[in-house]
Amino acid sequence: MSAVTTSLPPGPQAPPGPAGRRRVLPWAVIALWIVAVAVAVPFVGRLADVQRDENVDYLPESADSTQVVRLQDELPGGEGTELILVYHRDGGLTEADRAVVGERAAGIAEAHALTTEGAPPVIPSEDGTTVMVPFVIGGLAGDEEKSAAVTDVRERAGADLPEGLTAEVGGSGALQHDAEQVFESIDTTLMLFTVAIVAVLLIVTYRSPVLWLLPLLSVGVAAVASLALVYALVQAFDLTVTTMSRSVMTVLLFGAGTDYALLLVARYREELRRHQLPSAAMARALRGCAPALVASAGTVAAGLVCLLAADLNSSSGLGPVGAVGVLCALAVMLTLLPALLVVCGRRVFWPLIPAFGSEGHGRRSVFARLGTSVSRRPVAILTGGVVLMGALALGTLNLPGTLKNEDSFVDAPESVAAMDRLADAYPDRATQPLTVLARTDHAAEVLREAAATPGVAEAEAGRAANGWTEFDVYAVDRAESDGESATIGALRDRLDRVEGADALVGGPSAQQLDLADTNARDRTLVIPLVLVLVFLILAALLRSLVAPAILLAAVVASWGAALGIGGLVFEPLLGLAGLDPSVVLLTFVFCVALGVDYGIFLMHRMREETRNGLDARHAALAALRATGGVIASAGVVLAATFVVLATLPVVNLVEIGLVVAVGVLLDTFLVRTYVVTAAAWLLGRRVWWPGALSRRRLSNERAR
């Protein structure tokens, strides 16, 4: 009988009772999901209203710089919006230029409530080409007011300038405004790109004009449900949802959801050749692959939930947000997608309709040949794979240094250009202050100690209220340099010795320093937690200690190799000037949790083949033949969805997207296909130690 046919063979009539139930159940499931979507849709749009991208939402919860931001909110005018006007003329500023600058500074002081009296100072550069006008606007509540203020300042600063005189607005307030403008376009861009890529890959994979619509529709339903659930979590637990966490959730949901769909559809197609009724084939397909899908989603969700232990607000908030997306994708793929497939019947696979009683052919033969090559040279393949990944991991030695604030965007906005101009024009001084908050009754002593700290150029007292006084402290060295970092450390040490002052050092540079330190601490806590939890889940699923150890070692190696490739391309090829401090931790969690997925699918099928009578070695080859093609497709889809992050204009998302995409591809085509299979071949039934399968000698094994 042909493996592919365009017409269905006639089948016997099913008994009326069970057949009626089989017809009704899929429609009932579809109806329930329609109701769920109808309930969820009104809440989807509200998530944007509670999405937060303030500095404090990306800062460590316990850091000094975070406490400074929170205390500033309680001072008159709240957390000030720090801006710096930068005027420049290549040949040197003229008297007319200086008059214009003074006029604009005075006009801005009249239009906005500055935290200092009178017009802000105009500070010229030594070469006479540039002046900067630093000031802080107080009394602004919420992102909209701050954004409007920055826009107004830019309009006033740049209106009707003499020819040759340029005006730019920098400072942390302008940087925050520009970041929000970038973030506003991310959600829509990311969703459109992701949908387009997934649709194309599904069409190529299924080679059907209809079938691809069902997984894509199911993922869309999962996206709606997850957004509504995340909104509910925000309302119930005040969960922090940032643009980064929502973007990552979108990619995870589409990538993982499509993977689950590919695996289910592949197993369903396989069972349609063995069962005449689609409902019976689907029931068998779910029994066969649902445990692996549940374990896979559970592993990813558990790994993400481990991020709750992180001190960094953006990382800890990402954990439950991502987990919700993955679990919603699982729920939809185990209920709605099966119902849609059963309702549509075999013809949904047209023109490659799997006929009852036919034999399947195609891509799995490629993996059969790969399995044969592994069985012939397992030691050489395992050794070569390990050496290759180790060599690639050496690229981590070339990773760029810590990412600076002004390097956070792929294309520099005006605020970054302004700060670059300041760095060139004022090479020997900081252009943005460190912010110190201390108890007012110790203000004089704190001011004296701050001014006397090595590396400090000047210090001045600012606002005072609620028992706290704010100080602006300027370092000698430029912002976010090693010298300024040393000054921040020295300032904190010196002020800590002022008893009763409770002094805190914050500001943009201190925030970046705290981010790096906190990410380092989070890595030492979260990475071991993820490894232990994933290992326990794998051990429970596979009933073995050896198989989980192999899978974990393999995915950690692929993550190290992917990060090493990042070191070879981030700065040399892509021009990314730094590595975001969160990249190492987040890519580890994603690479390990998602990479283990494919190991679960392979090992679960290997265990199934072993229980069906094959010895461990031949079970490994049979599992590779059965799952190779679909897992390769799933890996390509997942990697492609993460590559979408690399098209966004934010450096940390670009870095996360590229590392995870490369890690998934390495795991799909190198680690799982060669390294894990070769290790399983060499270990034989010992791969299931200490489970019962490790002690079970099968008939074909005894025959050899």
Side-chain angles (χ1 to χ4, degrees), residues 39 96 106 122 132 143 146 160 209 299 322 339 352 391 430 445 508 560 669 690 698:
V39 172
V122 177
M132 68 172 176
D143 294 342
K146 293 178 181 179
D160 300 323
T299 302
L352 305 177
E445 188 177 359
F669 294 104
L698 302 170

Side-chain angles (χ1 to χ4, degrees), residues 61 81 115 172 209 232 252 262 320 341 357 364 386 406 444 463 522 565 638 640 652 678 683:
E61 183 62 34
T81 302
T115 57
S172 59
L252 275 174
L262 288 169
L341 289 168
R364 285 182 292 179
V386 171
E406 60 262 29
R463 298 174 292 174
D522 285 348
I565 291 174
L638 185 61
N652 70 332
L683 288 170

Side-chain angles (χ1 to χ4, degrees), residues 343-375:
V343 165
C344 293
R346 294 174 186 266
R347 289 184 176 85
V348 75
F349 289 94
W350 184 86
L352 305 177
I353 301 177
F356 173 55
S358 64
E359 293 292 331
H361 301 288
R363 287 175 300 172
R364 285 182 292 179
S365 61
V366 174
F367 289 90
R369 292 194 295 270
L370 292 177
T372 301
S373 68
V374 170
S375 66

Side-chain angles (χ1 to χ4, degrees), residues 628-654:
V630 66
I631 294 180
S633 299
V636 170
V637 170
L638 185 61
T641 55
F642 270 93
V643 166
V644 174
L645 288 179
T647 67
L648 300 178
V650 183
V651 168
N652 70 332
L653 293 179
V654 172

Side-chain angles (χ1 to χ4, degrees), residues 223 236 294 360 402 409 548:
V294 171
T402 302
F409 305 99

Side-chain angles (χ1 to χ4, degrees), residues 593-686:
L594 295 170
V596 163
D597 271 12
Y598 302 135
I600 287 175
F601 302 144
L602 177 69
M603 286 288 190
H604 187 269
R605 187 60 180 258
M606 191 188 309
R607 182 178 177 82
E608 184 179 341
E609 297 290 348
T610 302
R611 295 179 66 182
N612 288 339
L614 288 179
D615 68 88
R617 287 183 167 181
H618 290 86
L621 301 186
L624 183 61
R625 286 196 301 271
T627 65
V630 66
I631 294 180
S633 299
V636 170
V637 170
L638 185 61
T641 55
F642 270 93
V643 166
V644 174
L645 288 179
T647 67
L648 300 178
V650 183
V651 168
N652 70 332
L653 293 179
V654 172
E655 292 172 341
I656 290 171
L658 289 178
V659 171
V660 176
V662 171
V664 167
L665 292 176
L666 285 174
D667 192 78
T668 302
F669 294 104
L670 174 62
V671 172
R672 180 191 53 81
T673 303
Y674 288 107
V675 175
V676 172
T677 305
W681 176 271
L682 290 171
L683 288 170
R685 58 193 173 94
R686 291 186 297 273

